[in-house]
């Protein structure tokens, strides 16, 4: 399967494409960063990110998209922009009907390094080793996007099956008649 | 001028359209709420909001869009969804080249009620009075969207001129040669 990993951000949105399947070596297809200028209005920056992500999906035709899950407790000065960029990433993928998974930073760290509290350098080093790269992808956002894609190949399908089962159970519950006795 | 006010939210996204200009009575054109089900994946909900907002713009052809500015310090359980929905609102408007302004909740409260700390009931009551409505628009998200549109008519154009001046000044600065002495 081919996965596009997206590390959302307003100034730097990391993108990385990985080919592979569980138990087989993974390959990096492409990696990069979509940058937008802080001088532009936020709306324009979000449109640039939308266009950039659309172009990445168009070029690489991924089977699934993995987006980093953002939390309110993160650094508050940039968190709103990150959340907005992640919303754009989700919409761009969902509009095309692509399966989407969200992974938390600690899930990604645990998946690639075995340690949910690994630092950026450790994650980057593991990405280099897993994908057998000649050098560390830069900036860190690009390496993080690859780490997300790797995480998704390794645990994404199990996740998706789980979510589908939960959705089915919820739907069943709604359909079931209410019994008062 | 016709303004579409958007109070972003994942469960309820308030939308309100107001016609008017400074110093003349304002008219409500339409008001409503775009709802999405909490049972759906976030990406699907954001796509529904995108489609809903596109349909509102298509139908009412506003001259400008006013979106509530969200802050990280707001209620953290829903803030990520609100931020993502606001990102979608900005992109939908920017893609069509519509002028966009963001107003903070306290700016809106101050504009419609004269008090930046007014509560929801006070804001709703002022919206009813300003637009000469027969009843309070419900839910509160719908009234908030109208309040945003009113705020924009009353202070939006001044804001836009200010932002344009700042942008021009920044551009000038970048073009100016660096003088070291």
């Amino acid at each position: 399967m081919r996965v596009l990993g997206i590390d959302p951000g307003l100034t730097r949105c990391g993108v990385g494409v990985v080919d592979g399947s569980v138990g087989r070596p993974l390959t990096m297809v492409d990696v990069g960063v979509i940058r937008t200028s802080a001088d532009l209005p936020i709306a324009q920056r979000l449109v640039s990110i939308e266009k950039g992500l659309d172009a990445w999906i168009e070029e690489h035709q991924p089977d699934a998209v993995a987006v980093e899950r953002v939390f309110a407790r993160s650094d508050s000065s940039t968190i709103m922009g990150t959340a907005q960029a992640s919303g754009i990433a989700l919409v761009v993928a969902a509009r095309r009907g692509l399966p989407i998974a969200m992974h938390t930073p600690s899930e990604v760290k645990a998946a690639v390094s075995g340690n949910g509290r690994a630092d950026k350098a450790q994650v980057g080093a593991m990405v280099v080793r897993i994908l057998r790269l000649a050098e560390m992808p830069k900036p860190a956002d690009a390496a993080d996007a690859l780490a997300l894609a790797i995480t998704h190949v390794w645990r994404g399908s199990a996740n998706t099956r789980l979510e589908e089962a939960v959705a089915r159970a919820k739907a069943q519950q709604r359909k079931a008649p209410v019994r008062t006795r």
Side-chain angles (χ1 to χ4, degrees), chain A:
Chain A
M1 83 184 303
R2 173 168 291 189
V3 178
L4 168 63
I6 302 175
D7 183 25
L10 207 48
T11 303
R12 288 182 307 274
C13 182
V15 275
V17 182
V18 167
D19 266 350
S21 53
V22 179
R24 303 187 58 178
L26 306 183
T27 323
M28 182 182 83
V29 177
D30 202 351
V31 66
V33 168
I34 300 165
R35 293 174 195 271
T36 73
S37 162
D39 291 342
L40 295 174
I42 290 179
Q44 291 304 329
R45 302 176 74 181
L46 293 171
V47 169
S48 296
I49 291 169
E50 181 188 35
K51 284 186 185 154
L53 292 175
D54 255 332
W56 272 75
I57 293 179
E58 197 56 50
E59 182 176 351
H60 294 296
Q61 302 286 330
D63 303 304
V65 174
V67 181
E68 187 172 294
R69 193 184 289 277
V70 281
F71 291 103
R73 66 167 178 271
S74 317
D75 171 24
S76 67
S77 68
T78 59
I79 185 63
M80 288 296 101
T82 305
Q84 291 174 324
S86 80
I88 304 308
L90 295 174
V91 159
V92 166
R95 269 199 309 241
R96 291 172 180 254
L98 289 171
I100 301 166
M102 284 184 276
H103 304 287
T104 66
S106 52
E107 283 168 353
V108 173
K109 288 170 184 174
V112 302
S113 77
N115 170 10
R117 295 180 175 192
D119 61 22
K120 288 222 173 272
Q122 287 172 295
V123 170
M126 285 308 298
V127 166
V128 166
R129 191 181 301 178
I130 294 164
L131 300 174
R132 289 151 295 131
L133 306 178
E135 55 179 357
M136 179 90 75
K138 283 187 183 145
D141 314 78
D144 285 347
L146 290 173
L148 268 158
I150 294 168
T151 302
H152 189 73
V153 172
W154 284 351
R155 52 169 287 178
S157 45
N159 251 356
T160 307
R161 283 197 301 273
L162 186 66
E163 275 165 23
E164 281 170 1
V166 170
R168 270 198 307 274
K170 273 192 186 172
Q172 283 287 334
Q173 234 166 22
R174 277 196 299 276
K175 264 183 268 170
V178 177
R179 286 160 200 267
T180 50
R181 37 169 277 168

